[in-house]
Amino acid sequence: MSLLVPVALWPRPPEHEVTVVHSARAAPSTVLVTGSRSGQLCLWSVDGPALRPRAVLIGHNRPIVAIDSVLFDRGDALVVLSVDGMLSEWDLSLIHISEPTRLGMI
């Protein structure tokens, strides 16, 4: 079995103009999740008064308008909606995106 880990390198950090904020439990700590105008998600570890970036998740091309936590049989996940009606699920234990699904009229 081999492991493939994607890596993204930027000449400078990506801009993250926050459009929505959500607090999620990701055992064993609390994670703050921010959605941006460019469609990125950023996971932040809450360490006392400090926020530390944990991951940048790329899966949407339009502004994020809603983020919510969901508990599935397999564990905690985030459900994310962008302004174009794209809905994605992020498994917090794997940081894995499911296939985006376009919703009908919102």
Side-chain angles (χ1 to χ4, degrees), residues 2 29-30 38-39 42 44-45 47 52 63 66 74 79-80 94 96 104:
S2 63
S29 64
T30 299
S38 62
C42 189
W44 305 83
S45 292
D47 185 16
R52 302 194 191 292
R74 64 183 184 275
V79 175
V80 179
L94 300 174
H96 173 268

Side-chain angles (χ1 to χ4, degrees), residues 24-82:
R25 290 285 302 159
S29 64
T30 299
V31 173
L32 190 68
V33 183
T34 56
S36 74
R37 184 169 303 283
S38 62
Q40 300 166 345
L41 295 173
C42 189
L43 277 67
W44 305 83
S45 292
V46 180
D47 185 16
L51 293 176
R52 302 194 191 292
R54 188 168 142 191
V56 174
L57 309 177
I58 301 169
H60 290 267
N61 295 320
R62 301 295 307 266
I64 304 297
V65 293
I67 303 171
D68 204 357
S69 298
V70 208
L71 181 60
F72 291 112
D73 292 338
R74 64 183 184 275
D76 293 328
L78 294 174
V79 175
V80 179
L81 178 67
S82 58

